[in-house]
Structure formats: structure tokens, C-alpha cells
């Protein structure tokens, strides 16, 4: 059935497939270890089902509302006399309502610690674990149900002394998007929610845009938040992303569209959250103890003591969120901290004149103040930096006003300028910004048993700031940039020049050489990205060799001139050697991370080229090759990518754009992607090659599977002989097609597609087994062939009594002419290519099938159904196509058009499909419809 694939092609596409696997491996497996602690419940968690009005229950039979509780607290709440602050948890894609337990349990423990002065009531919605990230048909329904739940929750508090007027919402994954969608409802009052915290929610776009309902929902939500910003003016939103451990929702998608510049919206990656400093995967973000603690601390700090509810002041809400999620000064939150503080003159005061100072505290019986005169240092140095390894929340550093005496009785509390790191709290002050300060004062309290170290130094900014240009993206790790820091201080800033693109990925190696001595502190390395809160922090012992991965979630904005910085909080008298080199595997990982969801587009584009190549060869030579060789010959990026780029270029002209709009053509996905990323044309070329490699080895795997299945079929049944030209449509086939159309309309379109696909697959297996048998008979010598034929006839006579069966068996076993076999072989090759294309259509429609199957007990009909129209067309088309042969195609008047059409369709798939995967099957269907017409006309 054709020669094997060329060795050169196999090697090339083997290398391409290896690159794909390398990128997938980086995304799925090569990330930091889980540094989150598990959240445990101290008492058995209980979920009290809230009885909803019958009208709501009938409208939403699959959804439920619960109240979380534990132990005595759960018992007290069974009568639903609630006095707390309502918080509603919304689970995400396939998420359970029980995921609220981490938030609810820690909030309960916190309330117990303050004797229930304030407490929260955590409600949670059961969405029946629907796959809303893959099927968008139920998102609007979920949004309407949440609206009803909010009204029910607020009604439960109406007779309380401090009745809430709003509900705080915590949304995980798609639950966060549903919460944002509340504002798009006509009857929804924006004042119903004043705080929204989303966990790993893809706000920008769906992870996989598999149906129109999903993309339309995103468009409606994001447009509303942009165009009707007045609706969100009193809503404070925090979006927390999981970092590189979350390969299901990349952190860049959690960035709130155009709202990051809004004063009431905040985006952070969990690795940058103070006291968390850990990347979380898509599920652990709901139970990561460090992150949940930060969230609950923020909730309690948001309480207004007057109303005993979450504050209505948006400014305070943002201050609290920044305190706990962006920059923690190692102090308890205060809305208006007293900056002028009285210092104790009765303690010991010591004046320090040196520019560098270290003090180790152990069993200090009396408190001390160390005073640093600033007048002399201002002439020589630009900054002062201090570190304190005592991680308590007390004030420890002050600025003194115009004091020339040996002590200072009043000082500005500069501890609020400090920042908490894993092992120290640090403060760096620019002396020029504090011209009125005469002295810097460091306070050492009286302690027993605790040992900690204080360090201060004055320095020039230029001496501690070094520039390190990153290596080129295409250096493949063969070259490196290196710098040596002979440390005499506490802090260094290594500016990573030209690091701002999402496809850049580096490995940074930091080697520290220190004189070993007892009690040496650890070093802290922080990769700081100034245009987004996605810092990563690593603590390392000294001396040591540390490897840091440097890659971005969000590219540098065009109008942003800041530079990514590697901050080294060093140990004194250490030498640091910093080396940076491009990590080729992580570059591939970034390509897969950002564009892996669009790979089916490029695979199908390649398959369409192979399909067109087979039809062209069939018309010109009368024969067509197997799918894999046809793919190797026809699937060339220069057939697709230049045309897409030409259209993108022409759309820059108004006259062409006007023509485009007159034809009602949708916006080009490639144009949108190019606006987001200037490197996309090159990346698209790489993705096309990746698609070729996947299609190539997928074709080989499918051929091997087909041979295996046909061998199994031959071992179980008797051959029926080669099919003869017959009618394309018989009453039986018409009934089958009508039945499947009925199934599409009354149940689920994807279910009908799966049935017709399996039916088609079964016919191809039978055809493959019959062709193999006939080819084996032809390859045998005539004598042997005759013996085989006679033996086959005798065996048939033994087992069948009817003369008709004997005649049919004899006819089936008799050798067939080479021409007839060649025609059937050509038909088989085309059928195999069509099956390959259909496999991807089935995969793209599978999510809605799974959703329908999971919800079958509630409704037998999927509504809305994104695959219904496609299923009706496919069932009708494949009902004819699976019974067709290439003889009719060769003689058709439309054959040349059918052979040429896959090329423009392949271009259209790449142009319109990456951000709208649901469009892709329709381009395949267009090609198949013309094939059907060739069989008729």
C-alpha cells in the first residue's frame, strides 16, 4: 500500500516532535517543588444546604447553595440566625463546593482567637462540577444562579443589627469570571458586591476557546468592565495567579484586562505574595496554607469597626490588599499609622559614625538605641540600607528631626518603609528624599533567649547597581553573560538588560564564595519584575551554587522603560559570581505555555494540505500516496504563512479594511495575536512546524493502529471481498443519517459526531482488512492462489448450506484485478486522511459531549449545543462520503476545484482559528462537502 516514509523526513519530523515534547516537558514537569503547606481542619467540616425558593430550584435544578461550618459553630448555624460577614465562594471548572473548607476553617480559627468579636459566614455554591472552561453554554446560567444566591444570602441578614448590604466573593478559576459576569446582568445591583478575590481565574481569554458561547461570554464580560467602568468604581478586585506550577491557567491570563491601571484592581502572582513566596498549581491555590492565611488576614483587616462589615471605603480596601499581597512591612495593618513616635530617653543611646555597622543581639537585658548622624554621610553616599533578622511586628527604625544632641526624643517611624523577606526585614532609604532628617535611629529591644542580627550600611547607588545584558534568544545556551560582585555590602541590584519578552527564558547561576564562619546568614535572591507583581524569591545558604529560572508571565508594555532586576541581599565579605544564559528548553516551554492551545489549528492546517495533495495526485496520475508521505510533500509553511502575513499587511490599509468589513469577515486572529506580541509571525512559523511533526507522527501511529485493528478483524471474521461501486445513498443509509440528525437535535451534537465517526472508522477497518487479504492473494503464485481459493470454497461449503452463500464466498475468495484493487486502495488512502481529520474534530467536540453526559440526569438535551449545526452537516456529509470511491472523484467536473480548495482553507484555519478553535471544524467540513459534490456531479 505504498512505500514507507523517507528516512530524511522521518528524522526531520522526529526532531520536530522531540522539540514539542521538550517544550511540553518544561511546562508540565520542570517547575519548582510545592512549597505550600496543607490546610487542615481541626473539627469535622459540615455543609449546611440552604433551602432556596421553589422558583429558583426549578430554574436551576443542578445547582445548590451551602453554608460552611465546623463543630459547635456548625450546630449554632443550623437555625440560620447569622450574625457574621457573608462571603460567597464560587468553585471553578469541575470544582467542588467543598473547596471552601480551607478559607472557612482558618477564618473560624481566627475568629475564635478574638472571641468572635468579628466572624465570617462562608457560603459556597455547588455548580455540579460542570466543565465550564471547556463548554461555555452554562456560564450565563451559573451567573444568574449566583445572582439569586446573593439575594437569598442578604435576605438572611435583614433582621440583624449590623445587616450587610453586600457580599464578598472568592472565585476559583472560572468562578472568578462568573463573579465578574454578575455586572453584565440587567437587574444586578453593583452595590451587591464590594470585594472580589479571584484565584487562578483566566480573565483575559479562555484557555481553550472551544465554542462560541465561551468566547462570546468573555467578550461580553471584558467589554462591560472596560466600557462601563462606572459599574465597578466601588468594587475592589484582587486577582491571584499561581505562577509556573499552574500549567492549566498560565498566570498571564489572570491579568485583569485594562484594569491593572485602575486604582481598585490588583494582580499578583502567588510567588510574590509576602509570607507565601510559593508558586501554586491550579488546585493547591485553594488550600495553600500560606496564601489562605494572607487572604484571611486581609479579610479581618478589611472590617469596619463601626458597621462590623467589610469597609465601604475603596481606598482602605486597596491599602489592605497592598499590605498583605504586595509589600508587607512586617507590621500589623494600620490605616493611618502614627508616623511621629516618642522615643525613650531612659534607654542606652549609642552614636555610630561608621558607614557600615553590624550588631548581634543575644540575651539583651536592656533596650538600646543606635543613632547614625546623617550630615556627614549625605556628602558621600546616596542611600542607606538596614536589615533586621528579628521578624516581629514591632517598630525598629526611626528618623530623627534636627537633633544635634546625643539622643532623640521624637522620631518618624520608618518601619513602615520596610519590607518583609523570608529571613529578614529590610529597608532602603534614599537620603535625598529625607532632607529634614538629622539622624537615623535603630532600636534594639531587651530580649532573652532570642538571637538576631542588625546590619546597616551607607552606600552610593552606582556602586551597588550593575548592568548585565541577557544573552540572545537564539544563542541556545551556548553563550553566557557573567559578572563578579566582590561584596563589601548588604545589597546589590543586577539589572537584566533587554529582558522583557515572554519567549525569553534564562537560567541564572549564582555562585557565592565566602569565608566559612559560624553563624553566617543566608542570602536572599529576588527576581523583581517592575511592570507586574510576579517576583520570585529564593533563599540560599552561603557558600552555595544556586540556579534561578528567569521567564515572564506578562511582557513588558511598550511605554514602560523599567528594567527587570535581580536583587541580591548578600552576606558581608562574600563574593558572588552571576552567570546568565539562554535556556533553550524553557524557551520551547514558553512557546507551548502561551500557544499550546492553538496547536490543533496548525495540525489540521497541515492535514488539509496533505488532503489537497492527495486529491491533486489522484487527478494528475490516477494514484494517490499514503497520508504520511503526502504530508511530507505537501505540508510546507511557505504555502500558508506568507498568505496570512500578506492579509495582515493589507488590513493596515483602510480601503482593504473597508472591503473586509463589507464582506462581513471576522477580525483576523493573527492580527490580534500580532498586536499582543511582535514576535508572533516567527512563533506562528514554529507552531506550523510543530503541527507538521504532530500530524506526521500521529499519521504513523494511526496507520499502525489501523493495521493492528484490521488484523484483529481478520482473525475474528471471514473476508467479505472488496466493495463494488454502489449507490452513494440507499434507504438504509438514509435512515441512518436521519436517525443521527434526530439524535443531534434531541440529545447532543457531539454524541452524533462520535457515532458517525465510529461507524466510519469501522468501515475503514473492514476495507483495510479486505484490501490486505486481496493484496496477499495477488502476491501469491497462481498455483498457490488456486489451492487457497479451493480450500476457502470447501470451508465455506462445510459451514453454509445455501448455494447463494457458496457462490458469494467463491466470488469473495477469487483474485481481483489489479485495477480494481488500485481503485480501492486509492479510496482507502483518502478515507484514512479523512478519518485523521475527523479525529481532531471529535477531540475538539469532546468537551461538550462530556458535559452532556455528566448532566444527563438533569436534561437529555444539551442546550445550548455548540456542535448541533456542525453535527447535522457532518452526519449528512459523512453518510455519503464513507461509501464513496475515488473513481467518481477522478471523473468529476469539480475535481480540480476540490483538489485546490484545501490550500486556501488551510490558510484560513491559521488566520481565523488560533483564538476561536470552534471555527476550525467548519473549514474541514467545507472541503469534505466539495468532495461529496465530486461524487455526485
Amino acid at each position: 500500500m505504498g512505500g514507507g516514509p523517507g528516512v530524511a523526513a522521518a528524522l526531520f519530523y522526529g526532531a520536530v516532535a522531540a522539540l514539542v515534547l521538550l517544550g511540553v516537558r518544561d511546562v508540565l514537569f520542570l517547575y519548582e517543588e510545592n512549597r505550600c503547606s496543607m490546610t487542615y481542619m481541626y473539627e469535622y467540616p459540615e455543609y449546611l444546604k440552604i433551602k432556596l425558593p421553589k422558583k429558583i430550584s426549578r430554574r436551576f435544578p443542578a445547582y445548590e447553595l451551602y453554608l460552611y461550618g465546623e463543630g459547635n459553630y456548625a450546630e449554632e448555624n443550623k437555625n440560620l440566625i447569622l450574625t457574621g460577614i457573608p462571603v460567597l465562594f464560587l468553585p471553578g471548572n469541575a470544582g467542588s463546593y467543598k473547596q471552601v473548607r480551607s478559607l472557612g476553617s482558618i477564618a473560624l480559627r481566627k475568629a475564635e482567637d478574638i472571641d468572635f468579636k468579628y466572624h465570617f459566614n462562608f457560603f459556597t455554591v455547588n455548580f455540579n462540577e460542570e466543565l465550564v472552561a471547556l463548554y461555555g453554554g452554562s456560564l450565563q446560567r451559573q451567573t444568574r444562579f449566583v445572582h439569586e444566591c446573593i439575594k437569598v444570602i442578604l435576605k438572611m441578614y435583614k433582621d440583624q443589627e449590623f445587616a450587610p448590604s453586600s457580599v464578598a466573593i472568592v472565585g476559583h478559576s472560572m468562578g472568578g469570571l462568573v463573579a465578574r459576569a454578575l455586572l453584565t446582568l440587567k437587574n444586578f445591583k453593583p452595590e451587591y458586591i464590594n470585594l472580589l478575590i479571584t484565584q487562578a481565574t483566566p480573565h483575559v481569554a479562555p484557555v481553550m476557546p472551544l465554542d462560541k458561547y465561551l468566547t462570546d461570554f468573555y467578550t461580553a464580560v471584558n467589554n462591560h468592565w472596560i466600557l462601563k467602568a462606572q459599574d465597578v468604581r466601588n468594587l475592589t478586585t484582587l486577582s491571584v495567579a499561581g505562577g509556573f506550577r499552574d500549567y492549566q491557567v498560565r498566570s498571564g491570563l489572570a491579568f485583569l484586562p485594562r484594569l491593572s491601571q485602575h486604582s481598585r484592581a490588583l494582580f499578583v502572582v502567588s510567588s510574590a505574595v509576602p509570607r507565601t513566596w510559593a508558586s501554586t498549581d491550579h488546585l493547591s491555590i485553594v488550600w495553600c496554607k500560606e496564601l489562605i492565611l494572607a487572604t484571611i488576614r486581609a479579610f479581618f483587616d478589611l472590617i469596619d469597626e463601626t458597621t462590623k462589615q467589610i469597609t465601604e471605603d475603596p481606598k482602605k480596601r486597596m491599602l489592605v490588599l497592598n499590605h498583605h499581597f504586595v509589600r508587607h512591612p512586617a507590621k500589623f495593618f494600620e490605616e493611618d499609622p502614627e508616623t511621629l513616635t516618642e522615643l525613650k530617653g531612659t534607654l542606652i543611646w549609642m552614636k555610630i559614625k561608621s558607614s557600615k555597622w553590624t550588631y548581634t543581639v543575644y540575651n539583651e537585658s536592656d533596650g538600646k538605641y543606635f543613632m547614625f548622624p546623617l550630615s556627614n554621610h549625605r556628602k558621600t553616599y546616596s542611600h542607606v540600607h538596614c536589615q533586621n533578622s528579628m521578624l516581629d511586628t514591632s517598630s525598629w527604625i526611626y528618623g530623627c528631626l534636627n537633633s544635634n544632641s546625643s539622643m532623640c526624643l521624637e522620631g518618624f517611624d520608618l518601619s513602615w518603609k520596610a519590607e518583609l523577606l523570608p529571613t529578614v526585614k529590610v529597608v532602603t532609604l534614599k537620603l535625598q528624599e529625607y532632607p529634614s532628617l538629622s539622624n537615623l535611629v535603630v532600636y534594639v529591644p531587651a530580649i532573652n533567649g532570642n538571637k538576631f542580627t542588625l546590619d546597616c550600611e551607607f552606600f552610593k547607588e552606582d556602586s551597588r547597581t550593575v548592568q548585565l545584558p541577557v544573552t540572545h534568544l537564539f544563542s541556545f545556551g551556548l553563550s553566557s553573560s557573567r559578572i563578579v560582585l566582590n561584596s563589601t555590602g548588604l545589597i546589590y541590584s543586577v539589572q537584566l538588560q533587554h529582558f522583557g519578552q515572554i519567549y525569553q527564558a534564562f537560567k541564572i547561576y549564582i555562585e557565592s564564595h565566602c569565608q566559612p564562619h559560624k553563624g553566617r546568614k543566608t542570602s536572599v535572591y529576588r527576581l523583581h519584575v517592575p511592570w507586574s507583581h510576579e517576583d520570585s524569591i529564593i533563599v540560599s545558604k552561603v557558600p552555595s551554587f544556586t540556579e534561578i529560572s528567569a521567564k515572564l508571565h506578562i511582557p513588558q508594555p511598550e511605554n514602560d522603560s523599567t528594567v527587570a532586576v535581580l536583587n541580591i541581599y548578600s552576606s558581608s565579605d562574600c563574593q558572588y559570581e552571576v552567570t546568565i544564559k539562554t535556556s533553550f528548553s524553557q524557551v520551547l516551554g514558553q512557546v507551548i505555555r502561551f500557544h499550546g492551545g492553538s496547536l490543533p489549528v496548525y495540525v489540521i492546517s497541515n492535514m488539509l494540505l496533505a488532503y489537497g495533495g492527495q486529491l491533486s495526485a489522484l487527478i494528475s496520475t490516477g494514484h494517490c500516496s499514503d497520508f504520511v508521505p503526502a504530508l511530507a510533500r505537501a505540508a510546507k509553511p511557505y504555502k500558508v504563512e506568507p498568505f496570512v502575513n500578506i492579509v495582515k499587511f493589507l488590513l493596515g490599509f483602510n480601503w482593504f479594511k473597508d472591503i473586509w468589513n463589507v464582506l462581513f469577515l471576522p477580525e483576523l486572529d493573527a492580527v490580534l495575536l500580532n498586536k499582543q506580541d511582535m514576535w508572533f509571525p516567527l512563533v506562528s512559523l514554529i507552531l506550523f512546524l510543530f503541527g507538521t511533526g504532530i500530524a506526521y507522527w500521529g499519521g504513523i501511529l494511526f496507520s499502525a493502529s489501523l493495521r493492528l485493528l484490521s488484523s484483529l478483524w481478520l482473525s475474528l471474521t471471514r473476508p467479505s471481498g472488496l466493495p463494488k461501486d454502489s449507490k452513494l445513498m440507499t434507504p438504509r443509509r438514509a435512515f441512518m443519517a436521519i436517525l443521527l440528525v434526530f439524535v443531534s437535535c434531541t440529545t447532543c451534537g457531539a454524541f452524533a459526531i462520535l457515532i458517525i465517526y465510529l461507524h466510519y472508522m469501522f468501515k475503514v477497518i473492514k476495507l483495510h482488512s479486505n484490501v490486505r487479504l486481496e493484496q496477499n492473494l495477488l502476491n501469491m503464485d497462481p498455483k498457490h492462489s488456486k489451492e487457497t481459493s479451493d480450500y476457502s470454497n470447501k470451508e465455506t461449503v462445510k459451514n453454509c448450506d445455501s448455494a447463494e452463500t457458496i457462490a458469494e464466498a467463491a466470488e469473495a475468495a477469487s483474485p481481483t484485478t489489479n485495477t480494481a484493487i488500485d481503485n480501492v486502495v486509492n479510496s482507502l488512502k483518502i478515507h484514512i486522511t479523512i478519518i485523521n481529520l475527523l479525529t481532531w474534530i471529535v477531540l475538539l467536540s469532546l468537551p461538550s459531549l462530556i458535559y452532556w453526559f455528566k448532566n444527563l440526569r438533569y436534561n437529555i438535551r444539551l442546550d445550548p449545543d455548540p456542535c448541533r449545526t456542525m453535527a447535522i452537516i457532518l452526519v449528512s456529509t459523512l453518510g455519503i462520503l464513507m461509501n464513496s470511491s475515488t473513481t467518481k472523484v477522478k471523473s468529476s467536473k469539480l475535481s480540480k476545484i476540490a483538489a485546490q480548495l484545501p490550500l486556501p482553507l488551510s490558510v484560513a484555519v491559521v488566520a481565523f482559528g488560533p483564538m476561536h478553535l470552534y471555527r476550525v471544524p467548519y473549514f474541514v467540513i467545507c472541503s469534505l462537502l466539495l468532495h461529496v459534490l465530486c461524487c455526485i456531479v
Side-chain angles (χ1 to χ4, degrees), residues 146-194:
V146 172
H147 182 200
E148 298 298 334
C149 287
I150 291 174
K151 290 190 287 187
V152 168
I153 290 169
L154 292 176
K155 198 173 182 180
M156 295 167 70
Y157 293 85
K158 66 177 183 178
D159 296 326
Q160 301 303 318
E161 182 182 357
F162 299 100
S165 59
S166 61
V167 175
I169 296 181
V170 178
H172 173 239
S173 187
M174 295 298 286
L177 187 72
V178 168
R180 289 181 61 217
L182 286 167
L183 295 166
T184 66
L185 299 178
K186 290 182 179 179
N187 299 323
F188 184 78
K189 297 178 181 178
E191 57 268 24
Y192 277 168
I193 51 174
N194 59 10

Side-chain angles (χ1 to χ4, degrees), residues 850-911:
I850 296 171
Y851 178 92
W852 168 76
F853 186 75
K854 281 190 67 177
N855 291 272
L856 201 55
R857 65 181 183 272
Y858 300 107
N859 201 335
I860 196 171
R861 186 174 189 264
L862 181 63
D863 187 35
D865 188 351
C867 298
R868 184 166 292 131
T869 304
M870 179 173 64
I872 292 171
I873 300 171
L874 261 182
V875 164
S876 308
T877 302
L878 297 181
I880 297 173
L881 207 56
M882 69 174 67
N883 301 297
S884 65
S885 67
T886 54
T887 53
K888 293 182 179 179
V889 175
K890 285 189 287 186
S891 59
S892 173
K893 297 177 182 178
L894 300 174
S895 58
K896 289 186 178 180
I897 300 175
Q900 297 300 321
L901 184 63
L903 175 58
L905 290 176
S906 178
V907 175
V909 165
V910 173

Side-chain angles (χ1 to χ4, degrees), residues 379-413:
K379 301 174 184 177
T380 313
Y381 306 106
S382 62
H383 289 71
V384 60
H385 173 84
C386 291
Q387 297 181 1
N388 187 349
S389 63
M390 186 176 182
L391 303 180
D392 63 347
T393 57
S394 59
S395 296
W396 61 283
I397 187 166
Y398 305 90
C400 190
L401 285 175
N402 301 320
S403 175
N404 296 319
S405 64
S406 59
M407 66 178 64
C408 179
L409 298 181
E410 278 190 332
F412 284 103
D413 190 352

Side-chain angles (χ1 to χ4, degrees), residues 600 603-608 610-611 614 625-631 691 694-706 757 760-761 764 828-844 878 881 920 924 928:
V603 174
I604 291 173
S605 177
N606 277 279
M607 287 182 170
L608 283 171
Y611 177 52
Q614 284 180 307
S625 59
D626 287 322
F627 170 71
V628 172
L631 181 76
I694 295 170
Y696 184 91
W697 290 102
I700 290 176
L701 180 63
F702 181 82
S703 296
S705 302
L706 189 59
Y757 171 78
Y760 199 161
M761 186 75 178
V764 169
L828 176 61
K829 290 174 181 178
I830 293 293
H831 286 312
I832 289 174
T833 300
I834 293 172
I835 282 288
N836 271 290
L837 285 165
L838 289 177
T839 300
W840 284 93
I841 293 179
V842 170
L843 289 174
L844 291 175
L878 297 181
L881 207 56
V920 174
V924 177
L928 298 182

Side-chain angles (χ1 to χ4, degrees), residues 281-299:
D281 60 53
H282 197 62
L283 291 179
S284 69
I285 199 169
V286 300
W287 56 254
C288 178
K289 184 177 180 180
E290 291 78 5
L291 189 59
I292 297 299
L293 281 170
T295 305
I296 296 303
R297 291 186 191 113
F299 269 127

Side-chain angles (χ1 to χ4, degrees), residues 14 18 36 42 126 249 282 348 354 371 391 412 425 429 443 487 639 674 805 826 831 862:
C36 281
Y42 291 93
N126 179 14
V249 177
H282 197 62
I348 299 172
S354 62
M371 191 161 63
L391 303 180
F412 284 103
K425 48 188 178 183
L429 304 174
Y443 172 59
S487 177
K639 294 183 177 180
N674 203 46
T805 306
N826 286 332
H831 286 312
L862 181 63

